[in-house]
Amino acid sequence: AQSVTQLDSQVPVFEEAPVELRCNYSSSVSVYLFWYVQYPNQGLQLLLKYLSGSTLVESINGFEAEFNKSQTSFHLRKPSVHISDTAEYFCAVFTGGGNKLTFGTGTQLKVEL
Amino acid sequence: DVKVTQSSRYLVKRTGEKVFLECVQDMDHENMFWYRQDPGLGLRLIYFSYDVKMKEKGDIPEGYSVSREKKERFSLILESASTNQTSMYLCATEATAYEQYFGPGTRLTVT
């Protein structure tokens, strides 16, 4: 069975500092990988995804994630965060065998002035 | 833009009541999902549906049932609400390439 691990439940960071949110997955077959973001009092929104091709994927608001097959990781990074990036971030993996998305437990990113 | 709406943002029910949570989508997506979200546990799949009148159990279906009579509507039913079903409930639809679109959620409190 597939699983997703987000080791950090909370990540505090100052505005304009870089940030990395870690995600590791376990699966023996090909995977599709996703990051979703949940702003306060809202549902989840897709931030970025890896399906195939280039292992580095980017979002429109400056986040990027890199698929590392050997380390089974899909860490999310941003070189300079803004106060508006404060949200909860969920990593998710899809494999054909499970035929459904499996979500991590989430990382609360808190950006401070 | 894909729009997924849920009938209530906040709901308070008593133990033993039958509870209906409604989800409606406007994009003609075939796949729809119900999750519950709890702190420290992330999202857990309750039920999903790939077509009208079709349903599949997710990871935690106990105590829940679903109904999908029309393509755009997917209902989650708590037959007899219990306090351990107090949670945030999220509905989602699935477009291409396994992208899921979520509604705003219903925060259910069972007292």
Side-chain angles (χ1 to χ4, degrees), chain B residues 75-95:
Chain B
S75 302
L76 180 70
I77 304 158
L78 287 65
E79 296 290 342
S80 177
S82 64
T83 54
N84 63 12
Q85 292 179 310
T86 290
S87 185
M88 171 70 86
Y89 290 89
L90 294 168
C91 174
T93 71
E94 190 171 81

PDB file of all heavy atoms in Angstrom, chain B residues 75-95:
ATOM      1  N   SER B  75     -24.059  12.746  -2.297  1.00  0.00           N
ATOM      2  CA  SER B  75     -24.467  12.990  -0.915  1.00  0.00           C
ATOM      3  C   SER B  75     -23.793  12.018   0.042  1.00  0.00           C
ATOM      4  O   SER B  75     -23.666  10.822  -0.261  1.00  0.00           O
ATOM      5  CB  SER B  75     -25.989  12.841  -0.782  1.00  0.00           C
ATOM      6  OG  SER B  75     -26.644  13.732  -1.649  1.00  0.00           O
ATOM      7  N   LEU B  76     -23.395  12.535   1.177  1.00  0.00           N
ATOM      8  CA  LEU B  76     -22.845  11.711   2.262  1.00  0.00           C
ATOM      9  C   LEU B  76     -23.875  11.652   3.372  1.00  0.00           C
ATOM     10  O   LEU B  76     -24.436  12.679   3.763  1.00  0.00           O
ATOM     11  CB  LEU B  76     -21.541  12.320   2.781  1.00  0.00           C
ATOM     12  CG  LEU B  76     -20.850  11.567   3.917  1.00  0.00           C
ATOM     13  CD1 LEU B  76     -20.279  10.239   3.407  1.00  0.00           C
ATOM     14  CD2 LEU B  76     -19.736  12.415   4.535  1.00  0.00           C
ATOM     15  N   ILE B  77     -24.130  10.455   3.863  1.00  0.00           N
ATOM     16  CA  ILE B  77     -25.165  10.242   4.873  1.00  0.00           C
ATOM     17  C   ILE B  77     -24.553   9.609   6.117  1.00  0.00           C
ATOM     18  O   ILE B  77     -23.843   8.594   6.025  1.00  0.00           O
ATOM     19  CB  ILE B  77     -26.274   9.329   4.316  1.00  0.00           C
ATOM     20  CG1 ILE B  77     -26.849   9.921   3.029  1.00  0.00           C
ATOM     21  CG2 ILE B  77     -27.388   9.141   5.358  1.00  0.00           C
ATOM     22  CD1 ILE B  77     -27.532   8.933   2.137  1.00  0.00           C
ATOM     23  N   LEU B  78     -24.836  10.239   7.240  1.00  0.00           N
ATOM     24  CA  LEU B  78     -24.481   9.642   8.519  1.00  0.00           C
ATOM     25  C   LEU B  78     -25.774   9.079   9.090  1.00  0.00           C
ATOM     26  O   LEU B  78     -26.675   9.827   9.468  1.00  0.00           O
ATOM     27  CB  LEU B  78     -23.886  10.680   9.478  1.00  0.00           C
ATOM     28  CG  LEU B  78     -22.472  11.184   9.201  1.00  0.00           C
ATOM     29  CD1 LEU B  78     -22.370  11.963   7.894  1.00  0.00           C
ATOM     30  CD2 LEU B  78     -21.977  12.025  10.367  1.00  0.00           C
ATOM     31  N   GLU B  79     -25.906   7.775   9.096  1.00  0.00           N
ATOM     32  CA  GLU B  79     -27.167   7.139   9.460  1.00  0.00           C
ATOM     33  C   GLU B  79     -27.571   7.459  10.900  1.00  0.00           C
ATOM     34  O   GLU B  79     -28.730   7.679  11.199  1.00  0.00           O
ATOM     35  CB  GLU B  79     -27.069   5.630   9.255  1.00  0.00           C
ATOM     36  CG  GLU B  79     -26.857   5.208   7.803  1.00  0.00           C
ATOM     37  CD  GLU B  79     -28.098   5.451   6.938  1.00  0.00           C
ATOM     38  OE1 GLU B  79     -29.213   5.617   7.497  1.00  0.00           O
ATOM     39  OE2 GLU B  79     -27.962   5.471   5.703  1.00  0.00           O
ATOM     40  N   SER B  80     -26.601   7.467  11.798  1.00  0.00           N
ATOM     41  CA  SER B  80     -26.850   7.769  13.207  1.00  0.00           C
ATOM     42  C   SER B  80     -25.603   8.454  13.746  1.00  0.00           C
ATOM     43  O   SER B  80     -24.631   7.798  14.120  1.00  0.00           O
ATOM     44  CB  SER B  80     -27.153   6.487  13.980  1.00  0.00           C
ATOM     45  OG  SER B  80     -27.336   6.764  15.355  1.00  0.00           O
ATOM     46  N   ALA B  81     -25.637   9.772  13.735  1.00  0.00           N
ATOM     47  CA  ALA B  81     -24.433  10.537  14.032  1.00  0.00           C
ATOM     48  C   ALA B  81     -23.904  10.223  15.438  1.00  0.00           C
ATOM     49  O   ALA B  81     -24.672  10.062  16.401  1.00  0.00           O
ATOM     50  CB  ALA B  81     -24.713  12.026  13.907  1.00  0.00           C
ATOM     51  N   SER B  82     -22.580  10.170  15.518  1.00  0.00           N
ATOM     52  CA  SER B  82     -21.926   9.960  16.812  1.00  0.00           C
ATOM     53  C   SER B  82     -20.875  11.048  17.013  1.00  0.00           C
ATOM     54  O   SER B  82     -20.431  11.691  16.045  1.00  0.00           O
ATOM     55  CB  SER B  82     -21.273   8.584  16.871  1.00  0.00           C
ATOM     56  OG  SER B  82     -20.239   8.493  15.915  1.00  0.00           O
ATOM     57  N   THR B  83     -20.463  11.246  18.256  1.00  0.00           N
ATOM     58  CA  THR B  83     -19.531  12.331  18.552  1.00  0.00           C
ATOM     59  C   THR B  83     -18.191  12.141  17.842  1.00  0.00           C
ATOM     60  O   THR B  83     -17.518  13.119  17.518  1.00  0.00           O
ATOM     61  CB  THR B  83     -19.302  12.453  20.062  1.00  0.00           C
ATOM     62  OG1 THR B  83     -18.886  11.192  20.585  1.00  0.00           O
ATOM     63  CG2 THR B  83     -20.577  12.896  20.775  1.00  0.00           C
ATOM     64  N   ASN B  84     -17.801  10.900  17.559  1.00  0.00           N
ATOM     65  CA  ASN B  84     -16.523  10.693  16.879  1.00  0.00           C
ATOM     66  C   ASN B  84     -16.606  10.984  15.377  1.00  0.00           C
ATOM     67  O   ASN B  84     -15.615  10.837  14.656  1.00  0.00           O
ATOM     68  CB  ASN B  84     -15.961   9.292  17.134  1.00  0.00           C
ATOM     69  CG  ASN B  84     -16.850   8.191  16.598  1.00  0.00           C
ATOM     70  OD1 ASN B  84     -17.787   8.455  15.840  1.00  0.00           O
ATOM     71  ND2 ASN B  84     -16.572   6.957  16.978  1.00  0.00           N
ATOM     72  N   GLN B  85     -17.760  11.410  14.931  1.00  0.00           N
ATOM     73  CA  GLN B  85     -17.902  11.861  13.546  1.00  0.00           C
ATOM     74  C   GLN B  85     -17.836  13.386  13.448  1.00  0.00           C
ATOM     75  O   GLN B  85     -18.023  13.950  12.362  1.00  0.00           O
ATOM     76  CB  GLN B  85     -19.192  11.333  12.941  1.00  0.00           C
ATOM     77  CG  GLN B  85     -19.158   9.824  12.751  1.00  0.00           C
ATOM     78  CD  GLN B  85     -20.438   9.268  12.185  1.00  0.00           C
ATOM     79  OE1 GLN B  85     -21.540   9.567  12.682  1.00  0.00           O
ATOM     80  NE2 GLN B  85     -20.325   8.453  11.144  1.00  0.00           N
ATOM     81  N   THR B  86     -17.581  14.050  14.559  1.00  0.00           N
ATOM     82  CA  THR B  86     -17.299  15.479  14.528  1.00  0.00           C
ATOM     83  C   THR B  86     -16.012  15.689  13.740  1.00  0.00           C
ATOM     84  O   THR B  86     -14.963  15.140  14.086  1.00  0.00           O
ATOM     85  CB  THR B  86     -17.142  16.030  15.958  1.00  0.00           C
ATOM     86  OG1 THR B  86     -18.409  16.010  16.602  1.00  0.00           O
ATOM     87  CG2 THR B  86     -16.608  17.458  15.924  1.00  0.00           C
ATOM     88  N   SER B  87     -16.107  16.477  12.664  1.00  0.00           N
ATOM     89  CA  SER B  87     -14.959  16.606  11.775  1.00  0.00           C
ATOM     90  C   SER B  87     -15.263  17.643  10.704  1.00  0.00           C
ATOM     91  O   SER B  87     -16.371  18.166  10.608  1.00  0.00           O
ATOM     92  CB  SER B  87     -14.657  15.253  11.113  1.00  0.00           C
ATOM     93  OG  SER B  87     -13.479  15.309  10.328  1.00  0.00           O
ATOM     94  N   MET B  88     -14.245  17.897   9.863  1.00  0.00           N
ATOM     95  CA  MET B  88     -14.435  18.670   8.640  1.00  0.00           C
ATOM     96  C   MET B  88     -14.628  17.671   7.508  1.00  0.00           C
ATOM     97  O   MET B  88     -13.817  16.755   7.331  1.00  0.00           O
ATOM     98  CB  MET B  88     -13.209  19.538   8.371  1.00  0.00           C
ATOM     99  CG  MET B  88     -13.222  20.215   7.003  1.00  0.00           C
ATOM    100  SD  MET B  88     -14.453  21.515   6.885  1.00  0.00           S
ATOM    101  CE  MET B  88     -13.489  22.875   7.561  1.00  0.00           C
ATOM    102  N   TYR B  89     -15.689  17.872   6.728  1.00  0.00           N
ATOM    103  CA  TYR B  89     -15.977  16.983   5.603  1.00  0.00           C
ATOM    104  C   TYR B  89     -15.762  17.742   4.295  1.00  0.00           C
ATOM    105  O   TYR B  89     -16.306  18.834   4.095  1.00  0.00           O
ATOM    106  CB  TYR B  89     -17.402  16.443   5.694  1.00  0.00           C
ATOM    107  CG  TYR B  89     -17.548  15.471   6.833  1.00  0.00           C
ATOM    108  CD1 TYR B  89     -17.882  15.917   8.109  1.00  0.00           C
ATOM    109  CD2 TYR B  89     -17.310  14.117   6.643  1.00  0.00           C
ATOM    110  CE1 TYR B  89     -17.978  15.024   9.171  1.00  0.00           C
ATOM    111  CE2 TYR B  89     -17.412  13.217   7.689  1.00  0.00           C
ATOM    112  CZ  TYR B  89     -17.742  13.679   8.951  1.00  0.00           C
ATOM    113  OH  TYR B  89     -17.829  12.790  10.004  1.00  0.00           O
ATOM    114  N   LEU B  90     -14.975  17.144   3.428  1.00  0.00           N
ATOM    115  CA  LEU B  90     -14.625  17.762   2.154  1.00  0.00           C
ATOM    116  C   LEU B  90     -15.096  16.887   1.001  1.00  0.00           C
ATOM    117  O   LEU B  90     -14.836  15.685   0.983  1.00  0.00           O
ATOM    118  CB  LEU B  90     -13.111  17.963   2.047  1.00  0.00           C
ATOM    119  CG  LEU B  90     -12.496  18.968   3.022  1.00  0.00           C
ATOM    120  CD1 LEU B  90     -10.981  18.842   3.015  1.00  0.00           C
ATOM    121  CD2 LEU B  90     -12.894  20.379   2.656  1.00  0.00           C
ATOM    122  N   CYS B  91     -15.755  17.535   0.051  1.00  0.00           N
ATOM    123  CA  CYS B  91     -16.168  16.870  -1.177  1.00  0.00           C
ATOM    124  C   CYS B  91     -15.205  17.278  -2.277  1.00  0.00           C
ATOM    125  O   CYS B  91     -14.696  18.412  -2.290  1.00  0.00           O
ATOM    126  CB  CYS B  91     -17.596  17.292  -1.522  1.00  0.00           C
ATOM    127  SG  CYS B  91     -18.186  16.687  -3.118  1.00  0.00           S
ATOM    128  N   ALA B  92     -14.953  16.385  -3.213  1.00  0.00           N
ATOM    129  CA  ALA B  92     -14.069  16.701  -4.333  1.00  0.00           C
ATOM    130  C   ALA B  92     -14.568  16.036  -5.597  1.00  0.00           C
ATOM    131  O   ALA B  92     -15.230  14.991  -5.554  1.00  0.00           O
ATOM    132  CB  ALA B  92     -12.637  16.245  -4.039  1.00  0.00           C
ATOM    133  N   THR B  93     -14.262  16.653  -6.733  1.00  0.00           N
ATOM    134  CA  THR B  93     -14.489  16.017  -8.024  1.00  0.00           C
ATOM    135  C   THR B  93     -13.141  15.842  -8.705  1.00  0.00           C
ATOM    136  O   THR B  93     -12.154  16.496  -8.345  1.00  0.00           O
ATOM    137  CB  THR B  93     -15.407  16.851  -8.939  1.00  0.00           C
ATOM    138  OG1 THR B  93     -14.681  18.015  -9.378  1.00  0.00           O
ATOM    139  CG2 THR B  93     -16.650  17.288  -8.223  1.00  0.00           C
ATOM    140  N   GLU B  94     -13.104  14.977  -9.669  1.00  0.00           N
ATOM    141  CA  GLU B  94     -11.833  14.673 -10.326  1.00  0.00           C
ATOM    142  C   GLU B  94     -11.943  14.955 -11.813  1.00  0.00           C
ATOM    143  O   GLU B  94     -12.834  14.443 -12.493  1.00  0.00           O
ATOM    144  CB  GLU B  94     -11.451  13.224 -10.095  1.00  0.00           C
ATOM    145  CG  GLU B  94     -10.029  12.887 -10.543  1.00  0.00           C
ATOM    146  CD  GLU B  94      -9.655  11.491 -10.082  1.00  0.00           C
ATOM    147  OE1 GLU B  94     -10.064  10.532 -10.762  1.00  0.00           O
ATOM    148  OE2 GLU B  94      -8.969  11.362  -9.063  1.00  0.00           O
ATOM    149  N   ALA B  95     -11.011  15.747 -12.289  1.00  0.00           N
ATOM    150  CA  ALA B  95     -10.957  16.062 -13.714  1.00  0.00           C
ATOM    151  C   ALA B  95      -9.967  15.105 -14.377  1.00  0.00           C
ATOM    152  O   ALA B  95      -9.880  13.960 -14.025  1.00  0.00           O
ATOM    153  CB  ALA B  95     -10.537  17.516 -13.900  1.00  0.00           C
TER     154      ALA B  95
END
